[in-house]
Amino acid sequence: MNYQAPVKTTLLELRNLHTDFQTSTGTVKAVDGVSFAIERGERVAVVGESGSGKSAMAMSILRLLTHPGKVAGGEVLLDGRDISRLSEGQLNAIRGRLVGTVFQDPMSSLDPVMRISKQMIEPIMRNLRLNREQAREEAIKWLGKVGIPEPERRIEAYPFEMSGGMRQRVMIAMALSSRPQLVIADEPTTALDVTIQAQIVEVLKTLTEESGAAMLFITHDLGLVARFAHKVAVMYAGRIVEFGRVEDIFASPAHPYTQSLLGTIPSTAMLKSERLPQIPGLPPDMRFPITGCAFKERCAAAHDRCCVEAPRLSQCGIDHTAACWAPHGLGEGATLKAERPDRPNRPFEPDGSVVVELNALWKQFDTSRKMVVRAVNGVNLRVHKGETLGIVGESGCGKSTIARLLLGLEKPTSGDIFIAGLAQMVFQDPASSFNPKMTIGGIVAEPLVVRAHGSKPERKEAVRRLISQVGLDPAFAERYPHQLSGGQRQRVAVARALALNPSVVVADEPTSALDVSVRAQIINLLVDLKQELGISFVFISHDLLTVRYIADRIAVMYLGEVVEYGAAEEVFADPRHPYTKALIDAVPVPDPAIESRRTSTPLQGELPSPLNLPTGCAFASRCPMATDRCRAEKPALPTHDLARQVACHYAS
Amino acid sequence: MAEYAAKKLAQMLITVLGVITLVFFTLRLIPGDAASAMAGDTLSGEALQVLRDQMGLDEPLISQYLGFLRDLAMIDLGETITTRIPIADLLLRALPITLSIAMATIVLSIVISIPLGTLAAFMAHKGRNWLDNGLTGAAMIIDLMPSFWTALVLLLIFSLGLGWFPASGQLNWNNPGSVALRLALPVIVLSLSQVATLARITRTAVLEVLNEDYVRTARSMGWSEMRVLFRHALKNAALPIATVVGLSFGNLLGGTVIVEFIFTIPGVGNLLIAGINSRDYQLVQTLIVLYALLFVVINFTTDLIYKTLDPRVQF
Amino acid sequence: MADLSLPATPTRKPSLLAVGSAIARHRFLSHPKVRLALVLLVPILLLTIFAPVLPMQKPLETNLRAMMQFPSIEHVFGTDKMGRDIFSRTLAGVQISLLVGFSVAAIALVFGMVLGTLAGFYGGMIDRAIMTVVDIFLAFPSLLLAIGLVSVMGTGIVPVILAISLADVPRFIRLQRSQVLSLRSRAFIDAARTVDASQYWLMTRHIVPNTLAAMLVAASIAAANAILVEASLSFLGLGIMPPQPSLGNIVRDGQTYLEQAWWISTLPGVVILLIAVGLHFLSDGVRELLDPRSR
């Protein structure tokens, strides 16, 4: 990183900030004494998992918390002035003017019944003291800057007429149009697809750099941090456990939590035989007081002192502090080691038998307006025995429809599906995939009961075996889904999918609803099961790093078509389709060195509507190398006997 | 827009046709027939036959039904069977009275309930629950008071006790002041339960909107609480509130029957009860269809307004 | 494989049912709204049950020497123009009210559950047929529908129950249908479908158990509402006819003597209100207990 700190003047300083949520079951100390500073023009990222207090902390700065959240103590110094004691009226002079805010969910963050113009122009008039025409000019200028095409026309649109990415651009334009000195961005890209995410990050980065605004960026994605931030604050259980420059945090993390977190992300160089390091257990329940270090139960380096006294942030390098009794956390230069030895390195050898075969599969949905959504357009795929096929693509590419077709939950419009044996599914959302009125035992047993497998005691035994097979205590059989954490529920989902000895398990984004530290547990579980049981997997995800790690073969989908297919390593090492290249480029890698060398601009534009697909190549509208031939003639994917298939006229 | 309205209108017409059919055939389900039910034991066989002929009961059911439809379509409401007064004349006198009570109630209850509900939601959102709890509790109890009982209690206190409002007497439209005094208690009785319902709905709708992300966005832009409340929260909450106003109009129509009965006001409700008591099925079926028609039209209108207000609905 | 066996605190279970119901009873009884509801409803229920053996005048018995008497120890709610005991008549009326309330709730629950589930689950023609009829019924304001039906079916308790039920069933169908529709797309239904679970299995194991709570809550509100509608009908002279007492017709009887004997009309009305409030607190409490977020 060639970041040179500008003249060091502190813009924002938090001193011992406390935020409480009064709930019926007790006081949750969501933010429990946070102190750090942001210099002018500096981008500080706050990373942490859900419940770590990172959003509550960010919202506390301008007191945007709603009841029952309340700032319980501490100081917030903006330009040396304590704004935590200001009245609402005085604070309103700062909100939107000195400090702009961008929120997580663009779909719900704009007033649905108000035109963009109305939501943008009035704050500009107030903050910059302009008349209506000037403010309108200004608003249009900003909409143009954030990359909204035809801003003069789009300014009169309602939010629902725009895509999520466009709405987030509007939010950014709103936040920046009053020339704030600080922008607080609370997970601004979490709800967006990876190529759109890359665009938004680029817009935020360029525009704040241009205006010299500092930024506080809240995220759970370590890759984004590496791409974006000057400094990083790692939060755990309401406190900052490590703070420092981004290069230092990634190169020599000092807190065991940071070290573990960095270890759980599959890196591009990782071999399949290596197990993902995983953090055991769950974050602490914030309703109860914590004695000692909050991370001690999950920490390999915990010792007696950690159970008694909570460590404070202490210097461990230049501009680098960590809250751990051990000076180097788990050890010098260490990241978390896997708990179990690596798997025997069994390279994938297909024995030739095909478990799943999709032939010229088409699926269309009729909408109410007599239009046809073409979700899957002529897909041919094969999955061999014991093989994991990863399907990647952005939302709307048809990957989930393929899953539903495979499971027989939808009927194909044309084409056929062959499955040797039974297909079972692990669903994305662990909250809705279980009947809340059934016990875990009943849920796992359901496939056996429906298919009348075995006697009652036999089924009971099978349930015990299945539950322990996915790494849970058999006593879980008597619990109800709402008593389980997200990771535990996803284990149960796997157990249910295995009950009938399926030949293939389809997993549709099985880890996307889970926290980073739990994600690795589930991925390891799936990989282990695959090796032990020889089941085939279809793993559907937008998370390319995970797919690369878990899949033997990859199919990249765009607008209902497979545009590239091949062995996972090959596709990643040498992507041939321009879309695959763009996707891999867009994925933030948790390594500031790689990120700072990144030169290519993110893929432009958005997914065309599946209502009127282009006649030529589906990707032509966004492809940097598209020619007239691409727009006129559709490139076909070669027949499926080839190990590597690319649907592009110009793929060499 | 026009297409949507036409579709809705067609739907409404089907419902109205269904209502008319239902009313017609239900009334023909009476054991024996309408004539003997009306007459009870008072008429001889011959007189009963005359009555039957008058009512057209000996015609085939289907031609009776078509005749009923034709008459309704031509707004020929016929005459009352017992007194031979054109039903249209009766309605012309009764309907304005009932509608004035209903309209006055709607206006009064909206004016009171929306600010009250908004305030309660706002305070609950801030974590100050006393007004909210008080309002919710009071609204529930008021809502559950039988309206005939409330009417009697208010009559007892304000008319018989304090003598503020006349309890009976002619409605003299030449003296609007006296009419207002005469209709005041009925309107208050009906408004009580309407306010209870609407304030509760407003409270829920506004509270829900206050938790929306876009309200937080507005606050993050530095707008004052009041501006956020009125420009964003109330505007978004108006949509669900409008629907409920339309639906609660139905309860209001039921309520007018009771207050007209208690306060002896010559509106449609009293006409209905008189019709039932004299077993005048011609009158009863006309009135029931009329009530349903009113209710359907009101809901159609609120639905259309709702859809026009919401930019997300595309026609 | 169970390398990171996550322990679950073992639960003892002498008899799962007994333990479950004990916990349920305990939680049920300790809920403040439920308690308030029971405080209101239990005494009324007990008095109604034991009314025949209580030392007071029978509901229909007249006493011309004690006409229009002010409430006293002997006549808690006073007497009417024929010297009948209002309290004893009120208790007899409550009996009718409760009978009407529970019958209507039960009828609405059963029909709403069956027809709503069918409409929501199967969709298509069945749905359209059921919902067309439902929409026609919903075009009538409910009190007016009840008035209309009673005018056809005549007076008395059975017609009243049928009339009010007919007005309520469409609302229950709609509620159940919307619940089924939102459940139908849940992933656990999909999971069961992937093992080819029968439609009967889906409905009985997954859909009905998850809709029951909301329907029970709606049923207890419907019971309160039915009691109010019955009273209104009887008050208008269209429901339960004198001399048989009902809360509505007692109030109607007293209306003429409002100035001389206010207690005849007002006191029975208070009892209606107490029952309705009690039922509402009960449904509120049940709803809060069944809402997983409140756990």
Side-chain angles (χ1 to χ4, degrees):
Chain A
M1 284 294 262
N2 41 13
Y3 156 68
Q4 270 124 33
V7 190
K8 282 236 173 184
T9 46
T10 303
L11 176 66
L12 178 81
E13 188 179 354
L14 306 186
R15 288 188 188 157
N16 200 20
L17 186 71
H18 282 82
T19 300
D20 292 350
F21 284 78
Q22 300 287 346
T23 66
S24 52
T25 46
T27 302
V28 174
K29 290 180 180 294
V31 181
D32 194 12
V34 162
S35 310
F36 69 94
I38 302 178
E39 312 295 330
R40 283 180 193 284
E42 191 176 55
R43 292 190 295 268
V44 174
V46 179
V47 278
E49 299 173 272
S50 53
S52 63
K54 56 188 193 303
S55 284
M57 186 270 288
M59 291 301 111
S60 299
I61 295 171
L62 288 180
R63 266 192 269 142
L64 288 172
L65 293 162
T66 48
H67 178 78
K70 200 168 171 21
V71 177
E75 289 167 38
V76 179
L77 301 174
L78 184 69
D79 247 344
R81 170 177 172 219
D82 184 6
I83 60 170
S84 68
R85 307 268 183 281
L86 297 183
S87 71
E88 281 292 308
Q90 291 168 314
L91 210 51
N92 278 338
I94 292 171
R95 290 176 181 151
R97 184 171 318 181
L98 295 176
V99 183
T101 317
V102 180
F103 297 101
Q104 172 173 3
D105 187 359
M107 302 314 270
S108 61
S109 291
L110 292 166
D111 191 328
V113 300
M114 235 186 227
R115 290 179 197 279
I116 303 296
S117 55
K118 200 156 170 119
Q119 300 188 49
M120 272 192 86
I121 290 173
E122 292 185 16
I124 295 178
M125 288 169 66
R126 193 197 58 179
N127 292 336
L128 302 182
R129 300 183 193 289
L130 297 176
N131 67 30
R132 191 166 287 276
E133 284 72 46
Q134 292 167 323
R136 191 184 170 83
E137 285 304 306
E138 188 73 13
I140 291 172
K141 187 187 90 189
W142 276 102
L143 289 177
K145 275 189 170 186
V146 296
I148 298 217
E150 296 179 77
E152 304 82 4
R153 192 173 63 80
R154 299 304 290 272
I155 193 171
E156 289 307 327
Y158 284 102
F160 73 92
E161 294 168 311
M162 295 182 153
S163 68
M166 285 297 155
R167 291 190 211 183
Q168 199 60 308
R169 288 170 199 269
V170 172
M171 279 297 294
I172 293 171
M174 277 173 77
L176 292 176
S177 61
S178 298
R179 318 260 162 80
Q181 296 175 4
L182 173 68
V183 175
I184 298 175
D186 184 6
E187 304 244 15
T189 62
T190 306
L192 304 172
D193 266 320
V194 59
T195 60
I196 308 296
Q197 173 178 328
Q199 297 171 3
I200 296 289
V201 166
E202 212 46 46
V203 165
L204 267 173
K205 194 170 162 179
T206 324
L207 292 181
T208 49
E209 230 152 47
E210 201 179 290
S211 69
M215 170 139 47
L216 182 65
F217 191 92
I218 315 296
T219 183
H220 64 271
D221 186 339
L222 285 160
L224 273 183
V225 173
R227 171 171 299 186
F228 193 79
H230 298 134
K231 283 188 186 156
V232 183
V234 181
M235 275 190 85
Y236 190 78
R239 294 188 179 176
I240 291 183
V241 294
E242 187 161 2
F243 187 79
R245 289 201 305 237
V246 67
E247 315 88 274
D248 298 338
I249 296 276
F250 280 88
S252 52
H255 193 280
Y257 178 60
T258 320
Q259 293 168 338
S260 314
L261 219 47
L262 286 169
T264 58
I265 300 169
S267 76
T268 38
M270 199 155 185
L271 294 174
K272 285 197 183 6
S273 60
E274 291 176 63
R275 287 179 126 258
L276 273 184
Q278 60 189 39
I279 310 177
L282 301 167
D285 189 333
M286 299 293 284
R287 279 172 303 176
F288 306 112
I290 296 162
T291 34
C293 176
F295 191 62
K296 59 183 180 296
E297 285 89 357
R298 310 175 74 187
C299 179
H303 50 88
D304 295 348
R305 195 174 177 193
C306 305
C307 301
V308 191
E309 202 180 338
R312 304 193 147 272
L313 279 175
S314 60
Q315 209 72 22
C316 61
I318 305 156
D319 282 345
H320 190 174
T321 52
C324 182
W325 294 123
H328 301 289
L330 298 172
E332 185 70 56
T335 54
L336 188 72
K337 281 273 175 288
E339 286 185 354
R340 264 201 345 180
D342 290 339
R343 303 173 188 92
N345 196 357
R346 272 187 298 188
F348 168 67
E349 292 157 17
D351 66 353
S353 67
V354 173
V355 179
V356 177
E357 185 167 329
L358 309 180
N359 279 323
L361 197 63
W362 291 76
K363 176 66 190 177
Q364 303 182 340
F365 294 101
D366 295 330
T367 66
S368 53
R369 295 176 172 272
K370 297 189 187 89
M371 308 244 251
V372 174
V373 175
R374 286 154 59 186
V376 175
N377 301 318
V379 166
N380 300 297
L381 280 174
R382 272 183 190 175
V383 183
H384 295 89
K385 186 166 166 34
E387 179 184 71
T388 299
L389 172 70
I391 302 183
V392 292
E394 296 172 281
S395 48
C397 73
K399 56 190 194 301
S400 291
T401 308
I402 291 210
R404 296 181 64 80
L405 287 165
L406 269 175
L407 271 297
L409 294 170
E410 303 280 353
K411 295 274 160 281
T413 310
S414 71
D416 45 51
I417 301 170
F418 161 80
I419 293 171
L422 178 73
Q424 284 285 277
M425 184 144 174
V426 176
F427 293 89
Q428 172 174 9
D429 179 12
S432 88
S433 53
F434 305 124
N435 184 341
K437 299 269 185 273
M438 277 164 86
T439 61
I440 300 304
I443 288 165
V444 176
E446 186 184 7
L448 300 170
V449 179
V450 170
R451 290 283 180 99
H453 270 263
S455 63
K456 215 169 176 184
E458 281 169 2
R459 286 203 294 262
K460 209 166 169 174
E461 186 45 43
V463 168
R464 283 181 65 85
R465 185 178 50 77
L466 285 161
I467 292 180
S468 40
Q469 194 167 30
V470 297
L472 293 175
D473 189 311
F476 270 90
E478 267 142 49
R479 297 201 176 182
Y480 285 90
H482 71 91
Q483 298 170 308
L484 268 58
S485 72
Q488 290 168 340
R489 284 187 215 170
Q490 221 49 327
R491 287 173 189 271
V492 175
V494 173
R496 171 174 63 186
L498 295 178
L500 291 173
N501 292 322
S503 53
V504 57
V505 171
V506 181
D508 186 4
E509 304 266 7
T511 59
S512 66
L514 302 178
D515 266 321
V516 195
S517 71
V518 182
R519 201 171 286 179
Q521 297 175 2
I522 299 298
I523 294 171
N524 276 341
L525 174 71
L526 291 175
V527 175
D528 290 348
L529 285 172
K530 175 192 137 186
Q531 298 212 334
E532 278 172 32
L533 306 173
I535 311 177
S536 305
F537 274 89
V538 175
F539 189 91
I540 295 170
S541 179
H542 65 273
D543 179 356
L544 271 79
L545 291 178
T546 302
V547 174
R548 195 208 72 97
Y549 172 76
I550 206 169
D552 302 303
R553 303 201 177 271
I554 285 186
V556 180
M557 287 190 70
Y558 189 79
L559 279 180
E561 293 166 29
V562 174
V563 295
E564 182 157 3
Y565 172 85
E569 273 86 4
E570 281 177 43
V571 171
F572 268 87
D574 173 28
R576 299 210 184 133
H577 195 281
Y579 178 64
T580 316
K581 283 187 189 136
L583 262 188
I584 292 172
D585 262 357
V587 177
V589 179
D591 185 343
I594 296 177
E595 286 293 341
S596 66
R597 284 199 300 271
R598 198 184 284 277
T599 48
S600 56
T601 49
L603 184 63
Q604 299 303 303
E606 298 194 352
L607 210 64
S609 157
L611 286 173
N612 40 8
L613 291 180
T615 45
C617 173
F619 187 59
S621 62
R622 298 172 77 190
C623 184
M625 42 206 281
T627 62
D628 288 342
R629 184 181 169 205
C630 300
R631 280 179 276 272
E633 184 191 334
K634 191 177 204 65
L637 199 71
T639 48
H640 46 233
D641 295 321
L642 280 171
R644 190 75 190 276
Q645 303 161 24
V646 185
C648 178
H649 293 308
Y650 300 102
S652 44
Chain B
M1 176 76 205
E3 194 189 325
Y4 178 82
K7 206 175 132 195
K8 267 295 188 203
L9 198 67
Q11 232 172 29
M12 186 180 90
L13 284 177
I14 292 172
T15 308
V16 169
L17 194 67
V19 165
I20 293 169
T21 314
L22 187 74
V23 170
F24 178 86
F25 286 103
T26 312
L27 283 170
R28 268 62 188 177
L29 285 180
I30 302 169
D33 62 29
S36 47
M38 259 179 69
D41 301 332
T42 56
L43 289 181
S44 65
E46 205 173 303
L48 199 62
Q49 192 54 45
V50 174
L51 191 59
R52 264 195 200 117
D53 286 346
Q54 270 175 16
M55 296 169 73
L57 289 179
D58 285 341
E59 287 175 45
L61 206 55
I62 193 74
S63 71
Q64 284 184 47
Y65 174 63
L66 291 176
F68 181 54
L69 280 186
R70 189 189 55 224
D71 289 347
L72 278 177
M74 300 175 72
I75 324 183
D76 175 5
L77 303 181
E79 297 173 335
T80 61
I81 296 168
T82 36
T83 46
R84 298 264 142 223
I85 303 170
I87 292 176
D89 288 0
L90 287 175
L91 274 182
L92 229 46
R93 257 176 285 152
L95 198 56
I97 299 174
T98 301
L99 286 182
S100 349
I101 295 177
M103 287 320 292
T105 305
I106 289 178
V107 172
L108 185 68
S109 45
I110 286 179
V111 168
I112 296 173
S113 61
I114 289 185
L116 204 60
T118 308
L119 190 65
F122 181 68
M123 298 196 51
H125 183 67
K126 293 271 153 213
R128 290 195 289 276
N129 284 316
W130 59 267
L131 179 71
D132 188 36
N133 290 342
L135 191 78
T136 315
M140 185 193 83
I141 290 174
I142 289 172
D143 217 12
L144 292 174
M145 295 196 298
S147 56
F148 62 88
W149 180 76
T150 324
L152 287 181
V153 171
L154 293 186
L155 191 72
L156 188 64
I157 298 172
F158 293 106
S159 293
L160 305 179
L162 300 170
W164 290 359
F165 304 105
S168 57
Q170 287 277 278
L171 280 176
N172 181 1
W173 289 96
N174 295 325
N175 184 352
S178 77
V179 174
L181 272 183
R182 180 84 166 77
L183 298 185
L185 268 188
V187 169
I188 291 171
V189 170
L190 291 177
S191 298
L192 273 176
S193 76
Q194 290 288 308
V195 167
T197 315
L198 286 184
R200 206 150 47 158
I201 295 297
T202 306
R203 177 228 165 240
T204 312
V206 172
L207 193 57
E208 205 162 285
V209 172
L210 282 176
N211 284 322
E212 291 282 350
D213 286 348
Y214 53 81
V215 167
R216 188 177 57 177
T217 306
R219 290 178 61 221
S220 81
M221 300 298 289
W223 295 120
S224 68
E225 299 280 10
M226 282 305 122
R227 190 186 155 110
V228 171
L229 191 62
F230 288 105
R231 282 289 186 90
H232 296 279
L234 204 51
K235 201 173 166 189
N236 276 283
L239 304 173
I241 295 171
T243 324
V244 176
V245 172
L247 286 175
S248 71
F249 188 78
N251 295 330
L252 186 58
L253 287 179
T256 54
V257 178
I258 289 171
V259 293
E260 285 176 13
F261 178 74
I262 292 176
F263 294 97
T264 52
I265 293 164
V268 185
N270 258 331
L271 217 52
L272 177 68
I273 293 173
I276 294 172
N277 286 337
S278 62
R279 294 166 186 276
D280 190 331
Y281 290 101
Q282 181 69 27
L283 182 58
V284 172
Q285 77 185 7
T286 311
L287 292 182
I288 296 274
V289 169
L290 175 79
Y291 274 121
L293 200 64
L294 263 179
F295 187 42
V296 170
V297 168
I298 292 279
N299 276 330
F300 170 70
T301 319
T302 42
D303 184 67
L304 228 50
I305 293 172
Y306 183 112
K307 293 282 149 59
T308 324
L309 284 178
D310 189 346
R312 281 164 293 189
V313 179
Q314 286 178 310
F315 299 105
Chain C
M1 185 56 239
D3 62 315
L4 43 126
S5 212
L6 303 171
T9 16
T11 42
R12 283 173 295 120
K13 46 155 203 174
S15 153
L16 202 63
L17 242 170
V19 175
S21 71
I23 292 168
R25 220 174 325 147
H26 173 74
R27 270 195 25 229
F28 186 69
L29 288 179
S30 61
H31 193 280
K33 281 184 176 164
V34 172
R35 280 194 178 172
L36 191 57
L38 295 182
V39 166
L40 288 170
L41 294 175
V42 168
I44 294 177
L45 208 63
L46 288 179
L47 279 170
T48 311
I49 292 168
F50 292 109
V53 295
L54 289 179
M56 57 183 186
Q57 210 173 307
K58 294 285 164 275
L60 296 180
E61 199 178 314
T62 56
N63 180 357
L64 295 180
R65 270 171 297 173
M67 292 182 338
M68 303 228 267
Q69 288 210 338
F70 193 76
S72 62
I73 308 273
E74 202 182 336
H75 303 287
V76 184
F77 279 11
T79 63
D80 68 3
K81 63 169 193 293
M82 297 203 282
R84 292 178 297 192
D85 183 70
I86 304 292
F87 189 63
S88 134
R89 287 179 67 73
T90 300
L91 290 183
V94 170
Q95 233 171 32
I96 303 274
S97 294
L98 294 178
L99 180 64
V100 170
F102 286 109
S103 312
V104 168
I107 293 173
L109 192 63
V110 170
F111 282 88
M113 204 86 193
V114 172
L115 294 173
T117 307
L118 291 178
F121 192 79
Y122 287 105
M125 278 305 289
I126 299 177
D127 185 31
R128 248 171 290 157
I130 293 176
M131 292 318 286
T132 305
V133 177
V134 163
D135 281 342
I136 290 170
F137 272 91
L138 289 178
F140 296 98
S142 63
L143 179 63
L144 285 168
L145 181 56
I147 291 177
L149 289 167
V150 165
S151 77
V152 176
M153 296 189 285
T155 56
I157 189 151
V158 175
V160 166
I161 289 175
L162 285 180
I164 303 175
S165 304
L166 263 173
D168 273 351
V169 166
R171 274 158 244 276
F172 274 70
I173 294 177
R174 208 153 69 158
L175 171 66
Q176 176 67 4
R177 175 177 176 269
S178 71
Q179 288 200 86
V180 173
L181 283 180
S182 79
L183 277 171
R184 211 171 57 163
S185 59
R186 298 277 288 277
F188 62 82
I189 302 277
D190 281 344
R193 283 176 57 204
T194 62
V195 292
D196 301 325
S198 65
Q199 304 208 315
Y200 177 77
W201 173 276
L202 295 179
M203 277 194 266
T204 53
R205 291 303 176 98
H206 291 302
I207 289 187
V208 169
N210 281 296
T211 55
L212 202 58
M215 291 294 273
L216 284 175
V217 170
S220 70
I221 292 172
N225 189 50
I227 287 170
L228 293 177
V229 173
E230 179 273 318
S232 302
L233 289 176
S234 301
F235 175 79
L236 293 173
L238 308 170
I240 314 293
M241 299 308 270
Q244 186 177 26
S246 117
L247 293 176
N249 71 31
I250 301 170
V251 175
R252 177 191 169 95
D253 281 349
Q255 195 196 350
T256 335
Y257 312 98
L258 206 53
E259 252 176 308
Q260 303 93 313
W262 55 265
W263 53 88
I264 306 178
S265 283
T266 50
L267 295 181
V270 175
V271 176
I272 306 179
L273 181 59
L274 291 181
I275 296 175
V277 170
L279 283 171
H280 256 258
F281 274 121
L282 192 66
S283 78
D284 258 20
V286 169
R287 195 186 58 220
E288 281 168 24
L289 282 171
L290 292 172
D291 185 355
R293 279 171 302 179
S294 68
R295 281 178 195 172

